[in-house]
Amino acid sequence: MPDKTVLIVDDEPKMQRVLEIMLKQMGHRPLLAGNGLEALEQIEAHAVDLVVSDLQMPQMNGLQLLEALRGQDSDLPFIMITAYGTVESAVEAMKHGACDYIIRPFDVEQVELSITRALELGRVQRENRFLKSEVSKGWGEFVGQSAAMRQVYEHIGQVARGKTNVLLVGETGTGKELAARAIHQASPRKDALFVPINCAAIPADILESELFGHTKGAFTGAVKDRMGKFELAGGGTIFLDEITEMPMPLQAKLLRVLQEGVVERLGSNRPMEVDVRVIAATNRNPREAIADGKLREDLYYRIQVFTVELPPLRQRLEDIPSLAGHFLDKHSAKLGYPVPDIAPAALACLQRYPWPGNVRELENVMERAVVLSGGEHVDVRHLPLEIAEHAPYAAGGNAAPAPADPAGLALDPAVEALEREFIGRALEQTGGNKTRAARLLEISERTLWYKLKKYGLS
Ligand SMILES: Nc1ncnc2c1ncn2[C@@H]1O[C@H](COP(=O)(O)OP(=O)(O)OP(=O)(O)O)[C@@H](O)[C@H]1O
Ligand SMILES: [Mg+2]
């Protein structure tokens, strides 16, 4: 894990120099401070990944610096250097949240090891924070009371309690990830991590080390030990999305891990027991995937102990009104519009369209309708053409049916609404900085000025 910013805090220039050279050799970026106060300034100004601080210093010593940082709720990794004979202060530092201490005189290797470990710790902490916030996203978000969905909820409830592996099957956008999070949240493992990994999004040659981790030197580029997602998910749930995109040899290895309950980091021969529930998902028919050589049959039997099928939206049209209402609420709130109501004719269109992209597509269509209607009344003209053409009055006619409201297909007002929306978002993201907003919008600053004026936004 080279290329980290490490702050050296020491009042002796000679010590600073030694550490600085060492860090550069390790491939990190050293910053220097002569005492605790200077260190706080540096931390304020730079994204520091690790602090290596001497204990005895004028003005503000190492312990005071550590206390100040922890007082600010910072969990920045911190290594304390103390002189021989002051072990008590090293212990004191650990109590105040230092992750390691080094006693002078030290040898270089020991310091290098300590730095590497501390940086790894910082990474894991960040990853955990990220994943914990991921978990809070799901569960309880399911909408729809069709018989088909009620059966899904029942299955989720049944399977959640145990530890059996689960296979989720369903077309794109049917809610497989939502179901996986729901199972985790309803399970006794809910306080441990839910770790999603999309097998299609990660290059095949990295996927193995992502899953199982590696030791330093296991392959070119493995410059440090790294924990895999299986270890990270220990006690919790791993979600293997798009399992049929996993290379076949890796599927064989995964099968062994599932059979033996043991993982090994690449390059290590130290097996570790892991207690992980596996939920896998695919938007393909598993039988066909097996026939096509995309899914190992033995792995399939291992993970399909319990299969939950997410039905396509076109087979549960009765869920559409509540889903549409749910997404209108969600997106009008997000965009700061009033909640629009929806015309019966528009709803009828939604219920006649086959929804190849399922619930995700419906959500996108409703978000767009909120924007185009300005949060007022969603009508057929606020729907994309391929959906609007399912309007009841268009059915059965021989001649090309005229839209009920010819003005409703006019491009200009639609384009204007979208432009306003995108410009608003760009300004929001850049905190009102017009130069950067123009760059995001991929238009010139001049054009942005013009449009702001035109829409009365400036
Ligand atoms: N029944 C539902 N109620 C409410 N929201 C849903 C429902 N089903 C899906 N969604 C929402 O639709 C979107 C797509 O769902 P999700 O990502 O779980 O689908 P997926 O099956 O994993 O799709 P893909 O195969 O494309 O990855 C998400 O924003 C999800 O919150
Ligand atoms: Mg998904």
Side-chain angles (χ1 to χ4, degrees), residues 85-393:
T86 55
V87 178
E88 304 81 8
S89 39
V91 173
E92 197 62 18
M94 297 297 282
K95 275 194 201 153
H96 283 84
C99 55
D100 204 357
Y101 63 88
I102 294 164
I103 294 176
R104 273 197 321 215
F106 51 72
D107 64 66
V108 172
E109 253 170 70
Q110 178 202 353
V111 178
E112 279 186 3
L113 188 67
S114 171
I115 287 172
T116 304
R117 267 204 314 246
L119 286 170
E120 173 73 11
L121 180 78
R123 187 188 64 78
V124 171
Q125 276 173 351
R126 272 195 306 283
E127 207 155 308
N128 279 358
R129 265 200 303 278
F130 163 71
L131 289 165
K132 283 245 158 84
S133 69
E134 277 277 286
V135 168
S136 59
K137 275 197 218 157
W139 187 225
E141 279 178 34
F142 272 108
V143 173
Q145 288 300 326
S146 58
M149 282 312 287
R150 282 209 306 271
Q151 189 167 38
V152 169
Y153 307 148
E154 206 176 292
H155 284 161
I156 290 177
Q158 284 167 350
V159 76
R161 276 175 250 135
K163 202 207 142 177
T164 36
N165 299 328
V166 183
L167 180 64
L168 301 170
V169 182
E171 292 177 12
T172 178
T174 46
K176 295 184 296 294
E177 177 149 2
L178 206 58
R181 289 177 190 275
I183 292 170
H184 175 76
Q185 281 300 299
S187 80
R189 310 179 154 251
K190 67 174 192 308
D191 293 325
L193 292 176
F194 174 85
V195 179
I197 180 161
N198 186 333
C199 304
I202 296 174
D205 54 336
I206 322 188
L207 189 56
E208 182 170 7
S209 95
E210 277 292 312
L211 285 172
F212 305 121
H214 61 246
T215 56
K216 181 176 167 178
F219 47 86
T220 355
V223 288
K224 54 154 181 32
D225 287 3
R226 196 177 192 290
M227 183 194 258
K229 297 280 201 247
F230 260 91
E231 268 177 79
L232 191 61
T237 307
I238 192 165
F239 176 48
L240 303 172
D241 204 356
E242 309 219 28
I243 184 94
T244 59
E245 300 311 304
M246 183 183 284
M248 291 301 253
L250 194 50
Q251 290 191 19
K253 184 160 178 189
L254 174 64
L255 177 65
R256 273 202 311 282
V257 168
L258 296 185
Q259 280 165 343
E260 291 159 23
V262 168
V263 293
E264 243 168 52
R265 291 187 182 183
L266 303 190
S268 132
N269 44 20
R270 205 160 43 84
M272 280 173 286
E273 271 185 38
V274 285
D275 165 33
V276 174
R277 160 181 253 170
V278 176
I279 302 181
T282 177
N283 53 25
R284 301 194 44 167
N285 175 323
R287 291 266 157 222
E288 279 171 20
I290 292 170
D292 291 352
K294 296 287 286 177
L295 179 63
R296 282 185 66 111
E297 192 165 16
D298 46 9
L299 177 64
Y300 170 67
Y301 285 116
R302 191 85 201 176
I303 54 179
Q304 62 86 55
V305 180
F306 202 118
T307 299
V308 180
E309 269 183 58
L310 280 300
L313 189 53
R314 64 183 167 280
Q315 286 174 13
R316 45 184 168 109
L317 297 174
E318 68 266 43
D319 284 343
I320 286 181
S322 52
L323 280 166
H326 168 70
F327 292 132
L328 287 178
D329 282 354
K330 175 172 160 189
H331 291 287
S332 54
K334 197 181 82 191
L335 298 167
Y337 287 117
V339 183
D341 60 358
I342 179 163
L347 209 50
C349 294
L350 299 181
Q351 287 185 296
R352 284 157 190 247
Y353 176 71
W355 299 108
N358 293 294
V359 184
R360 180 180 297 111
E361 186 182 8
L362 176 61
E363 173 160 11
N364 292 341
V365 167
M366 294 330 287
E367 177 175 12
R368 179 176 176 278
V370 170
V371 173
L372 293 180
S373 69
E376 294 204 337
H377 178 70
V378 171
D379 207 341
V380 177
R381 65 198 166 98
H382 301 122
L383 301 177
L385 262 187
E386 68 272 20
I387 297 176
E389 72 189 9
H390 290 77
Y393 48 74

